Amino acid sequence: MGLNKYDQSLNKYVESIRLTPEMDARIESALKHAIALFLEHFGDADMYAQGSYATDTQVKPLTAIQSSGEPGEFDVDIVIERDSWKGARAALEEVETIIDEDGSYSQHQVVKTKDSCVRILYTPDASGVGFHVDIVPTMRDSGTMKVPVRKLDDWKDSDAKQYANWFNKQADAKPTMRDVAVIIKRVRDLAGLNDELPSILVLTLLEEDYRVYDSLMQDIVATFARISDKFSDASNAPEVKNPVNTDEDLLKGKDYTKIRKFFTGTYDKLTAALDKGDTKALAEIFGSGFNYVEKNSYGSWPSVAPLAAAKPAYGVDDVSAHEQR
Amino acid sequence: MMYRLTSSDKQWLKKHQPSLFWYETAKASVIRGPLVFNRKYETKPALKGKYLTKIEFGKSDIPEVYETGGRIKLVKEKYGISRMIDLHAYESGKLCLAAPQDLELNYAPNPSVERLVEEYTIPYFYGQKHYEKLGKWPWKQLSHGPRGIFEWYKEHRHLPGAAAATARALRSIKATGVINRAMQRESFNPRSKCLCGSGKPYLRCCSYLLPVTIALRTGI
């Protein structure tokens, strides 16, 4: 049996932390609208979504209650890929002008200070969870994809499309990898590390030497074990090379101590909980949505609450009264 | 070369220790979880037990086994034992499963999870459970450190490779005193001080340790 017994609960948990159909619909709608709008102006452009949407590893953001503070946001990055723009800053300003002149975005706040994109903030949903769209103008220069850097009025290398292609190729061959990615991201969010530990770093660490075991829980433990091993040296951060740009160390500039503590700490808590079969501790690690249900003695998952013990028709003290009847 | 679990290992685990789980990293293959047993040995009582265990197959031929539930520590407190090593465990939870020579000569040439669990780990935990319940070991225990290594050698010196394995065991625990005594002799002199550290000459002490001395000096 090993850890298989947790898999049904884990699968339900993964479903519960992925985006809802309503969230997916918001993304689809935003994508369609943006593509229709910008292709009218940039007939030569190639437009597509990138980021977690492109790798199918999006995780539902935490509500205010779940995060004990600010609710999270989900988002989609929409790329406008062209062979050339007037300039880096000019590319962003061109996108901003199109948005300003198009009335359909007038109800939304447009953020024009992001370095590499123009952000459109949508209205939060009923739970307070936000949604935004980042429009990213990109260009391919001598085979290298570049995104603008507003402050420098220049371009920097960043090939999110190639990264997504790389990840999807790995994940398609290893069926549980996306589920483990989503789980790690959720646990990361619960630890308040979504800014410190970006998705590209999570996915790159996850993919290294990933293998599929007999159960999803085993895949999760093995992943945390592998990454903890990689981070075994507390003083010296290892290199985590971007697989599509090996000059880029994804860990550079990040708080290695925090990231290391997250992976090694979660690994320790997870193995301690699994050693003892402590499902309460597992629920603390994974958060609400993980609810381990044990099979009953008939080997079935209980679908109804057990019946309360039938009350006797008479109290114990009433035996003599009963016998008298 | 690092030991990786074979399909026989995985099948054995599934059948005989289904609560244990395993995974692999670049540095180790790990098996962990509650190891259970229900055993009776010869004239000893039948005992059941469950110990939270971690088994690590790393770069060495000999795996490391740990008790992770703190149960041995509780026994130490129960009986007021001052040192964990007197219960054949280290403070880290790592277990002193058997004499290092035993593991090298008997286990390592034919390693498997089944052998490690059945021949070493379960008997070890059976001994722990016996001590926990009855305050005494079920069978004779080896001493710790160099003394225990010599005790094993005395009983098994007829086995091929025993002297060399004993020398390696002494080096692995950095038994500096013993190694220095072996190295100080210019040439074999039966009146030289015995390797065991008694201060007596070899001839009147542990003359059987001479092959170990030679093995230490020749670096085998």
Side-chain angles (χ1 to χ4, degrees):
Chain A
M1 168 68 103
L3 300 179
N4 299 58
K5 62 180 183 177
Y6 297 110
D7 277 5
Q8 187 170 29
S9 308
L10 268 180
N11 289 329
K12 286 190 177 156
Y13 167 67
V14 169
E15 262 179 57
S16 76
I17 60 174
R18 281 193 169 273
L19 297 188
T20 63
E22 293 74 25
M23 289 171 174
D24 276 334
R26 279 193 108 174
I27 290 176
E28 289 290 327
S29 166
L31 247 179
K32 277 188 190 144
H33 183 79
I35 289 174
L37 172 65
F38 288 102
L39 282 182
E40 250 182 73
H41 294 268
F42 306 122
D44 61 333
D46 189 12
M47 286 193 67
Y48 47 86
Q50 70 179 19
S52 299
Y53 181 85
T55 54
D56 193 19
T57 55
Q58 284 185 303
V59 64
K60 205 192 304 181
L62 299 176
T63 62
I65 293 169
Q66 288 169 328
S67 68
S68 310
E70 288 293 308
E73 285 194 357
F74 67 105
D75 66 282
V76 62
D77 294 352
I78 301 175
V79 172
I80 307 173
E81 184 187 323
R82 300 175 74 199
D83 289 334
S84 64
W85 296 82
K86 287 176 192 156
R89 197 179 290 144
L92 290 163
E93 286 167 355
E94 213 173 334
V95 167
E96 284 157 12
T97 305
I98 292 168
I99 291 170
D100 288 343
E101 288 176 356
D102 184 84
S104 60
Y105 288 118
S106 58
Q107 290 174 20
H108 306 298
Q109 186 185 342
V110 179
V111 179
K112 299 177 184 177
T113 53
K114 305 297 278 180
D115 233 5
S116 302
C117 67
V118 181
R119 179 165 291 182
I120 303 166
L121 297 172
Y122 283 68
T123 323
D125 68 15
S127 67
V129 163
F131 170 57
H132 69 257
V133 169
D134 286 342
I135 309 289
V136 188
T138 68
M139 75 170 183
R140 201 167 279 284
D141 180 22
S142 311
T144 308
M145 188 66 85
K146 292 182 185 288
V147 298
V149 182
R150 192 190 295 263
K151 285 188 200 107
L152 303 175
D153 193 14
D154 201 351
W155 300 87
K156 70 175 181 185
D157 293 352
S158 175
D159 202 334
K161 186 180 189 182
Q162 202 182 347
Y163 185 89
N165 289 343
W166 166 81
F167 182 81
N168 285 332
K169 189 177 171 190
Q170 313 307 316
D172 288 346
K174 294 167 188 172
T176 57
M177 203 194 289
R178 286 193 179 89
D179 284 350
V180 177
V182 162
I183 291 169
I184 294 177
K185 286 167 79 170
R186 175 58 141 200
V187 178
R188 168 204 69 181
D189 291 351
L190 287 167
L193 290 175
N194 21 359
D195 290 333
E196 282 93 340
L197 185 52
S199 296
I200 189 172
L201 183 51
V202 171
L203 299 193
T204 305
L205 286 167
L206 166 67
E207 190 279 336
E208 194 177 331
D209 297 327
Y210 188 88
R211 56 171 287 192
V212 178
Y213 289 80
D214 297 329
S215 73
L216 181 56
M217 186 62 90
Q218 225 173 338
D219 296 342
I220 296 166
V221 175
T223 298
F224 274 98
R226 268 197 335 273
I227 299 172
S228 296
D229 255 5
K230 190 176 177 82
F231 291 161
S232 55
D233 187 341
S235 317
N236 298 304
E239 257 191 328
V240 180
K241 290 188 182 175
N242 183 336
V244 302
N245 175 11
T246 48
D247 291 335
E248 184 186 4
D249 178 0
L250 294 171
L251 205 43
K252 197 175 172 188
K254 300 282 181 293
D255 188 336
Y256 171 60
T257 305
K258 261 191 190 167
I259 293 172
R260 177 178 179 269
K261 198 174 166 189
F262 167 72
F263 282 108
T264 57
T266 306
Y267 169 65
D268 288 343
K269 281 187 232 167
L270 192 52
T271 48
L274 290 171
D275 280 350
K276 294 174 197 162
D278 186 347
T279 54
K280 202 172 160 200
L282 287 174
E284 280 171 16
I285 295 166
F286 294 122
S288 60
F290 179 78
N291 180 25
Y292 174 65
V293 179
E294 190 118 29
K295 281 187 178 178
N296 61 28
S297 51
Y298 299 100
S300 317
W301 303 108
S303 54
V304 293
L307 294 173
K311 267 187 156 180
Y314 49 85
V316 168
D317 293 334
D318 290 340
V319 165
S320 54
H322 173 74
E323 282 172 347
Q324 283 166 22
R325 283 194 215 119
Chain B
M1 202 170 124
M2 186 152 49
Y3 183 80
R4 291 293 192 198
L5 270 64
T6 63
S7 46
S8 305
D9 288 334
K10 294 168 198 172
Q11 277 166 28
W12 186 88
L13 279 171
K14 224 174 183 173
K15 188 174 176 192
H16 297 279
Q17 294 286 343
S19 296
L20 295 182
F21 60 95
W22 63 273
Y23 52 88
E24 288 170 352
T25 71
K27 290 182 188 167
S29 301
V30 180
I31 300 171
R32 60 187 304 158
L35 193 149
V36 296
F37 66 87
N38 184 352
R39 285 294 149 95
K40 185 184 183 335
Y41 292 99
E42 298 164 346
T43 55
K44 311 298 172 196
L47 291 174
K48 272 195 262 195
K50 181 159 95 171
Y51 287 82
L52 294 187
T53 306
K54 181 174 79 166
I55 301 173
E56 272 187 8
F57 296 88
K59 292 205 174 111
S60 159
D61 287 340
I62 313 299
E64 293 183 349
V65 184
Y66 297 78
E67 189 257 318
T68 58
R71 198 164 163 178
I72 299 177
K73 261 194 188 135
L74 290 176
V75 172
K76 174 177 173 270
E77 280 156 26
K78 177 179 175 183
Y79 289 104
I81 294 166
S82 55
R83 303 182 309 163
M84 275 291 278
I85 197 61
D86 292 331
L87 288 169
H88 301 289
Y90 297 93
E91 289 293 336
S92 63
K94 186 175 157 188
L95 307 181
C96 190
L97 267 192
Q101 305 100 305
D102 182 337
L103 291 165
E104 182 193 320
L105 296 175
N106 181 31
Y107 171 77
N110 188 18
S112 75
V113 170
E114 179 180 359
R115 287 196 67 216
L116 181 67
V117 171
E118 290 290 343
E119 291 177 33
Y120 292 93
T121 315
I122 287 180
Y124 175 94
F125 281 136
Y126 177 94
Q128 288 289 345
K129 184 71 192 270
H130 194 281
Y131 196 100
E132 183 184 318
K133 264 190 96 161
L134 304 169
K136 58 181 182 177
W137 299 108
W139 35 67
K140 192 173 167 235
Q141 304 293 298
L142 288 175
S143 306
H144 306 298
R147 204 162 149 194
I149 291 174
F150 290 146
E151 284 167 6
W152 182 92
Y153 179 73
K154 189 176 182 184
E155 210 178 310
H156 299 91
R157 60 191 187 271
H158 57 281
L159 293 175
T166 303
R168 279 190 288 275
L170 290 165
R171 278 196 213 100
S172 75
I173 63 164
K174 296 183 174 55
T176 337
V178 174
I179 296 166
N180 286 344
R181 277 194 289 281
M183 294 308 191
Q184 270 164 19
R185 295 173 60 243
E186 293 295 312
S187 57
F188 172 58
N189 181 346
R191 291 182 196 78
S192 303
K193 298 280 187 277
C194 185
L195 198 66
C196 75
S198 66
K200 296 183 200 168
Y202 260 115
L203 277 186
R204 290 201 282 122
C205 199
C206 314
S207 54
Y208 62 88
L209 285 176
L210 177 60
V212 177
T213 307
I214 294 169
L216 280 168
R217 285 174 66 83
T218 54
I220 296 168

